[in-house]
């Protein structure tokens, strides 16, 4: 069974990274990780000089009659199949997703190439449905993995030996990493850079690309707002979205009921029936989720976050965190924040976090 070799000594110089894709590939599954690694090289050179941190190459397995990408853009391989055959070691194999990954995962040439490259790699990464290619090549046997939520059931059906989790945005199982859909591949790549070269560089990249440092791998693919809206009537779906954007307000049942033209009693009954929880519990869940994102982004202290998320006091937020997360907000923040960086946040920041 082909698996990456985690303890193989690494050659000096830049880490060799190969992005492998099967046409037609998802463009951002290729470009997103490549841009994160490119920013790592640029920022490192600006601060430290010396050689690049990553030597990034791309190989797209073509398909007659198909564009290289599902966006229709022509992207060529920077390294050809014959050259890959001569490689003896590889730091990271990143396999991009897309229609080609799902449809062509069983093709013998693609399977054999992936298996050969994975056997030379210290790390193997599946971006989005790139997990289908890795699974078809036998590189994920017995692993905990994820992929785009739409395709998790299909991945599990094809490979019943895998523990497919539709919830996280990425999963690390040993030296195998897999991510959810599209932009989650950038979060995963940022985590790789942090593992390789530390928190400071990853933070600088996140700032350049206007990303959260970090959306943790365990963060759900869907926000509470999106999950709650599924299957709701239009008026309640709109209300849940409005609640999520107005958490800084002192929302009460009477105001929410009036917004959808119901009496408080009718509203409470309708909300419980459609959403499956009370308006008060939904508000607390939305506030905790937003507070978590703000604390992860290293942009405020606990009191500022509590105020911006609509908690009446720090202690109110602390009790909500203990109920929903199992740790107080200060402890939660410390998991993601290694150096203090106090910043003043506005209510607009809270609404868009």
């Amino acid at each position: 069974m082909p698996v990456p070799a985690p303890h193989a000594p690494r050659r000096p110089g830049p880490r060799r990274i190969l992005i492998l894709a099967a046409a037609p590939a998802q463009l951002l599954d290729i470009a997103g990780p490549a841009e994160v690694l490119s920013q790592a090289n640029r920022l490192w050179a600006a601060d430290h000089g010396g050689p690049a941190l990553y030597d990034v190459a791309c190989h797209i397995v073509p398909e007659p009659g198909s564009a290289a990408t599902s966006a229709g853009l022509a992207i060529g391989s920077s390294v050809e199949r014959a050259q890959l055959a001569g490689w003896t070691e590889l730091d990271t194999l990143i396999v991009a997703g897309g229609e080609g990954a799902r449809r062509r995962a069983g093709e013998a040439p693609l399977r054999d190439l992936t298996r050969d490259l994975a056997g030379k790699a210290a790390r193997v990464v599946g971006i989005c449905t790139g997990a289908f290619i890795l699974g078809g090549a036998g590189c994920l046997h017995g692993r905990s993995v994820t992929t785009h939520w739409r395709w998790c059931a299909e991945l599990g059906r094809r490979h019943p030996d895998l523990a497919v989790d539709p919830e996280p945005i990425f999963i690390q199982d040993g030296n195998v990493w897999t991510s959810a859909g599209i932009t989650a591949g950038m979060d995963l790549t940022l985590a790789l850079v942090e593992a390789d070269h530390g928190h400071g560089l990853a933070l600088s990249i996140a700032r350049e690309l206007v990303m959260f440092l970090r959306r943790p791998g365990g963060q759900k693919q869907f926000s509470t707002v999106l999950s709650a809206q599924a299957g709701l009537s239009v008026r309640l779906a709109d209300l849940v979205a409005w609640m999520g954007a107005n958490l800084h307000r002192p929302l009460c049942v009477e105001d929410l009921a009036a917004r959808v033209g119901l009496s408080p009693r009718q509203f409470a009954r309708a909300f419980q029936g459609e959403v499956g929880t009370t308006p008060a519990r939904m508000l607390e869940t939305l506030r905790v989720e937003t507070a978590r994102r703000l604390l992860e982004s290293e942009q405020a202290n606990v009191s500022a976050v509590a105020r911006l998320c609509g908690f009446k006091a720090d202690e109110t937020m602390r009790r909500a965190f203990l109920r929903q997360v199992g740790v107080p907000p200060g402890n939660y923040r410390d998991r993601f924040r290694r150096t203090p960086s106090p910043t003043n946040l506005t209510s607009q920041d809270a609404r868009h976090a």
Side-chain angles (χ1 to χ4, degrees):
M1 191 66 61
V3 293
H7 302 301
R10 196 175 68 80
R11 65 188 178 93
R15 293 173 183 262
R16 174 177 278 174
I17 312 291
L18 178 69
I19 301 175
L20 176 68
Q26 177 72 44
L27 178 60
L28 196 55
D29 286 0
I30 300 170
E35 185 60 35
V36 171
L37 297 171
S38 174
Q39 289 290 337
N41 284 342
R42 186 182 69 80
L43 293 170
W44 181 264
D47 290 342
H48 303 281
L53 298 176
Y54 297 101
D55 178 10
V56 183
C58 175
H59 180 76
I60 299 176
V61 180
E63 181 181 55
S66 294
T69 67
S70 54
L73 298 180
I75 295 181
S77 298
S78 64
V79 58
E80 297 302 327
R81 177 72 179 264
Q83 294 173 272
L84 294 177
W87 287 10
T88 58
E89 58 185 31
L90 178 62
D91 183 85
T92 306
L93 172 65
I94 298 177
V95 182
E99 179 190 341
R102 300 189 304 273
R103 179 163 50 78
R104 302 176 59 197
E107 291 182 4
L110 177 61
R111 183 183 64 236
D112 293 345
L113 175 61
T114 305
R115 182 180 295 136
D116 177 63
L117 291 167
K120 300 173 181 177
R123 286 186 301 211
V124 166
V125 174
I127 303 296
C128 193
T129 52
F132 282 80
I133 295 177
L134 289 172
C139 302
L140 301 179
H141 181 67
R143 302 281 187 167
S144 294
V145 300
T146 193
T147 188
H148 190 288
W149 62 268
R150 187 183 297 278
W151 299 103
C152 281
E154 175 66 14
L155 182 64
R157 186 188 66 77
R158 292 194 199 182
H159 303 286
D161 61 307
L162 303 183
V164 182
D165 189 344
E167 291 282 331
I169 61 170
F170 66 82
I171 289 177
Q172 178 190 3
D173 185 347
N175 50 349
V176 173
W177 302 60
T178 51
S179 84
I182 310 176
T183 57
M186 297 179 71
D187 294 289
L188 186 157
T189 309
L190 197 63
L192 294 179
V193 173
E194 184 169 12
D196 292 343
H197 300 291
H199 179 77
L201 179 60
L203 176 59
S204 296
I205 296 169
R207 286 172 173 160
E208 287 292 318
L209 298 179
V210 197
M211 295 173 62
F212 282 113
L213 174 83
R214 59 178 95 181
R215 286 203 300 167
Q219 182 170 312
K220 293 183 178 181
Q221 295 192 33
F222 285 118
S223 70
T224 299
V225 170
L226 289 176
S227 297
Q229 287 178 300
L232 296 187
S233 62
V234 172
R235 66 178 176 179
L236 284 189
D238 288 346
L239 177 67
V240 170
W242 183 84
M243 290 163 62
N246 290 274
L247 297 174
H248 58 290
R249 299 172 180 263
L251 304 176
C252 65
V253 170
E254 289 76 15
D255 293 336
L256 297 175
R259 190 168 182 85
V260 293
L262 296 173
S263 71
R265 181 175 294 182
Q266 289 173 321
F267 170 69
R269 187 165 56 246
F271 196 95
Q272 176 78 51
E274 288 195 37
V275 182
T277 189
T278 66
R281 288 190 183 128
M282 174 56 69
L283 269 173
E284 180 179 280
T285 299
L286 292 171
R287 285 182 165 132
V288 168
E289 181 178 88
T290 300
R292 287 174 62 175
R293 289 200 297 268
L294 290 171
L295 292 170
E296 289 161 11
S297 70
E298 305 188 6
Q299 293 179 0
N301 60 34
V302 171
S303 294
V305 169
R307 184 176 65 256
L308 292 168
C309 293
F311 290 104
K312 294 180 180 179
D314 292 6
E315 178 60 22
T316 307
M317 185 168 76
R318 191 186 75 84
R319 290 197 299 267
F321 262 68
L322 289 173
R323 278 191 294 270
Q324 295 196 29
V325 186
V327 297
N331 289 15
Y332 183 85
R333 176 200 56 194
D334 291 344
R335 292 171 51 195
F336 301 96
R337 182 166 151 180
R338 300 185 189 177
T339 56
S341 55
T343 301
N344 291 325
L345 285 177
T346 67
S347 59
Q348 183 178 5
D349 294 323
R351 289 195 295 274
H352 291 87

